[in-house]
Amino acid sequence: MALVQKSPAPDRYKAEPSVMTALRTPRLLTREVLAGLVVAMALIPEAISFSIIAGVDPRVGLFSSFVMAVSIAFLGGRPAMITAATGAIALVIAPVAREYGMDYFIATVILAGLLQVILGVLGVAKLMRFIPRSVMVGFVNALAILIFIAQMPQLLGVPFMVYPLVAIGIIIMVVMPRFTKIIPAPLVAIVVLTIATVTIAINVPTVGDQGELPKSLPELFIPNVPLNWETLTIIAPYALAMAMVGILESLMTAKLVDEVTDTHSHKTRETWGQGVSNMLSGFFGGMGGCAMIGQTMINVKASGARTRISTFLAGVFLLILVVVLGDVVAIIPMAALVAVMIIVSVLTFDWHSIRPTTLKRMPKSETTVMLATVAVVVLTHNLAIGVVVGVLVAMVAFARRVAHLVDVERTVSIDETVPTAYYTVTGALFFASSNDLTTQFEYAEDPDRVIIDMSASHIWDASTVAALDAITNKYERQGKRAVIVGMNEASTNIHARLAGNLGGGH
């Protein structure tokens, strides 16, 4: 007899090409290096903008982006994904810096990182499968709206020249990609507007006005907060929200990169890796962050990067650009960054989701879930709360839809020796669908023998067993006998375990 040798199963998490392959191949290495440089240049304006949204010095966002990009290159579960300071995280923890100061702000970031590590070890990444697409769309749309709203302080009560500068910046970023995508359009807009304001001496707010830029490398920062219950009650709600938003956005981005590269990522490793990166970011005075959808797409789609080298170099180049060219960065007009963030907002929003044709085709429940997610996020300015509410609304909508798919058919046979009523129950039986089950039987009119056929249904919970108990008890009180037949193995097990032991059925 011939022996068939099984080939070992491929490692679904193995990165292709690997870091060693890229280091040995000049063409691949060049691609990774240039991708890292492009991402670093594109990161500077966004890191500064997100720092301002969070209400902290630009150095906080820049240091955070450097620490997180470098650390996640070693720790993360998704090669080539970019992690840095983000608008979503900035929006969540901005109130801490505003109301309690910098020490509490950094303590919140460190606690959020610790929570992410714990959640990662507990396997929370597996729960991503329970987040419906409509909640994802609502999440993205709400993020876009919040980023746009966050620009209002830089657009209201400012010199008139800010408005034409913002308009020019937007035009550059819309038009330029049609001709070339080699250099990031946001970087070109920032350079053009900076040169214009300096040469023409236009007096508008600059990055330097927002806070001092770093002149040195990040230093160890231990937050000076009392280690007591009161501190925990202040920072814990914000830390939990930051942890959840960071995990959600990072895993959503990882899923997107998986699709683009046709590879798998290690979601659990990515979750705890984000946590460690956030803790390191906090201990070096950073504001924390998560995966960045926009920068990751620049790295993977526009630049063609596939390894951890590009992520690592994005962080290294970012630090070199900021520390060496800090004086240049300080003269960038705020109008340029506002223009960048408006474009980020417009590109982030899923415009397809609100087209009349899409809304007409989409089930009303799906649209309701998306709108509920957006409304809650915009009202609370908390992406995590919006996602939780969106999932709850989706669960209720799903339960209602499935509940209506249960059907009970009745036939009566009088040809047999003993007249018999046959009931065929079809569908998934759980709390929402089984509540009305007892009302679909003709207890008084049925003959003495009743057979309930469950072969086309499935029992999911105790509510259904209680309903079946109630049905058989009602027939007994009428002096009739009801027999349940045809249950599958899982339904038989739950029914055998709970029938007659639930205390109901009257």
Side-chain angles (χ1 to χ4, degrees):
M1 188 174 70
L3 290 173
V4 179
Q5 187 175 1
K6 275 190 175 180
S7 59
D11 182 359
R12 65 198 294 255
Y13 298 123
K14 188 179 179 183
E16 288 294 340
S18 66
V19 170
M20 291 310 297
T21 303
L23 288 172
R24 286 195 298 261
T25 313
R27 180 179 57 82
L28 294 178
L29 185 59
T30 304
R31 188 178 70 186
E32 298 292 319
V33 171
L34 289 177
L37 181 60
V38 170
V39 169
M41 291 190 290
L43 270 175
I44 294 172
E46 291 199 10
I48 295 169
S49 299
F50 296 142
S51 300
I52 290 154
I53 289 173
V56 294
D57 280 356
R59 71 170 74 196
V60 177
L62 291 164
F63 281 169
S64 185
S65 296
F66 158 68
V67 172
M68 294 199 75
V70 169
S71 59
I72 206 70
F74 296 96
L75 300 168
R78 175 63 261 178
M81 191 163 79
I82 304 298
T83 293
T86 59
I89 298 297
L91 288 162
V92 169
I93 57 172
V96 183
R98 191 168 58 245
E99 295 170 25
Y100 300 103
M102 195 62 190
D103 286 295
Y104 281 88
F105 180 85
I106 297 299
T108 304
V109 173
I110 295 168
L111 179 59
L114 180 61
L115 289 172
Q116 285 180 324
V117 172
I118 294 168
L119 291 168
V121 172
L122 291 175
V124 76
K126 294 183 178 73
L127 297 177
M128 270 296 286
R129 71 189 71 174
F130 296 113
I131 298 178
R133 183 188 174 277
S134 47
V135 174
M136 295 273 200
V137 173
F139 174 91
V140 169
N141 288 350
L143 176 60
I145 293 168
L146 290 185
I147 290 173
F148 185 82
I149 291 171
Q151 306 314 306
M152 289 302 105
Q154 302 295 335
L155 290 170
L156 301 174
V158 292
F160 173 77
M161 282 307 294
V162 167
Y163 303 112
L165 286 173
V166 170
I168 292 167
I170 290 171
I171 291 168
I172 290 171
M173 284 181 279
V174 170
V175 174
M176 189 185 151
R178 296 177 185 177
F179 298 99
T180 179
K181 292 182 180 179
I182 296 171
I183 304 172
L187 192 71
V188 174
I190 289 163
V191 170
V192 169
L193 294 183
T194 303
I195 291 170
T197 52
V198 171
T199 52
I200 309 173
I202 303 171
N203 187 22
V204 290
T206 63
V207 170
D209 298 334
Q210 309 300 316
E212 192 181 348
L213 287 171
K215 301 279 186 189
S216 59
L217 298 173
E219 296 175 357
L220 198 62
F221 184 101
I222 306 297
N224 183 23
V225 295
L227 298 175
N228 55 29
W229 180 252
E230 186 186 354
T231 302
L232 189 64
T233 56
I234 290 170
I235 67 174
Y238 295 102
L240 181 60
M242 175 181 165
M244 294 306 296
V245 167
I247 290 171
L248 273 171
E249 196 157 326
S250 299
L251 295 184
M252 282 165 59
T253 307
K255 190 177 176 185
L256 190 63
V257 179
D258 289 354
E259 291 172 7
V260 170
T261 61
D262 197 23
T263 56
H264 291 281
S265 58
H266 201 306
K267 306 291 193 302
T268 297
R269 178 178 170 179
E270 185 61 44
T271 303
W272 64 254
Q274 290 284 334
V276 175
S277 288
N278 270 314
M279 291 174 73
L280 289 171
S281 167
F283 281 122
F284 282 97
M287 61 181 273
C290 62
M292 303 183 76
I293 295 175
Q295 305 304 335
T296 299
M297 286 300 102
I298 289 175
N299 195 43
V300 175
K301 228 175 181 179
S303 305
R306 289 292 180 272
T307 75
R308 299 172 187 274
I309 297 170
S310 57
T311 308
F312 174 76
L313 289 178
V316 173
F317 284 139
L318 173 67
L319 188 68
I320 293 168
L321 288 168
V322 170
V323 172
V324 177
L325 302 173
D327 292 335
V328 176
V329 174
I331 61 173
I332 294 172
M334 284 305 299
L337 301 185
V338 170
V340 170
M341 297 317 296
I342 288 173
I343 287 292
V344 168
S345 171
V346 170
L347 294 177
T348 300
F349 197 92
D350 185 351
W351 296 100
H352 180 266
S353 66
I354 59 168
R355 284 182 190 163
T357 51
T358 306
L359 294 173
K360 197 178 292 181
R361 194 181 301 118
M362 199 67 73
K364 286 191 174 68
S365 59
E366 298 279 326
T367 305
T368 303
V369 169
M370 187 265 284
L371 293 175
T373 306
V374 171
V376 172
V377 171
V378 172
L379 289 172
T380 62
H381 281 232
N382 190 316
L383 289 151
I385 293 174
V387 169
V388 170
V389 170
V391 170
L392 289 174
V393 173
M395 285 166 62
V396 172
F398 175 75
R400 282 191 64 198
R401 200 158 61 241
V402 173
H404 293 140
L405 298 177
V406 172
D407 185 49
V408 178
E409 283 186 12
R410 174 181 181 262
T411 56
V412 179
S413 174
I414 55 174
D415 297 335
E416 299 177 32
T417 311
V418 180
T420 305
Y422 290 94
Y423 285 91
T424 303
V425 182
T426 307
L429 298 169
F430 64 110
F431 62 90
S433 59
S434 61
N435 280 337
D436 297 330
L437 197 61
T438 54
T439 64
Q440 300 190 50
F441 290 79
E442 306 289 344
Y443 303 100
E445 286 79 9
D446 280 342
D448 290 346
R449 185 165 176 255
V450 178
I451 293 178
I452 303 170
D453 182 5
M454 304 284 288
S455 57
S457 61
H458 187 98
I459 298 173
W460 286 104
D461 60 5
S463 298
T464 305
V465 177
L468 292 172
D469 280 354
I471 291 164
T472 53
N473 287 341
K474 283 187 178 185
Y475 277 116
E476 279 178 19
R477 287 198 293 273
Q478 297 271 351
K480 301 170 184 180
R481 183 166 180 266
V483 180
I484 299 170
V485 298
M487 284 190 288
N488 59 36
E489 187 180 350
S491 298
T492 302
N493 289 339
I494 190 171
H495 186 263
R497 193 165 67 248
L498 299 176
N501 297 316
L502 295 171
H506 299 300

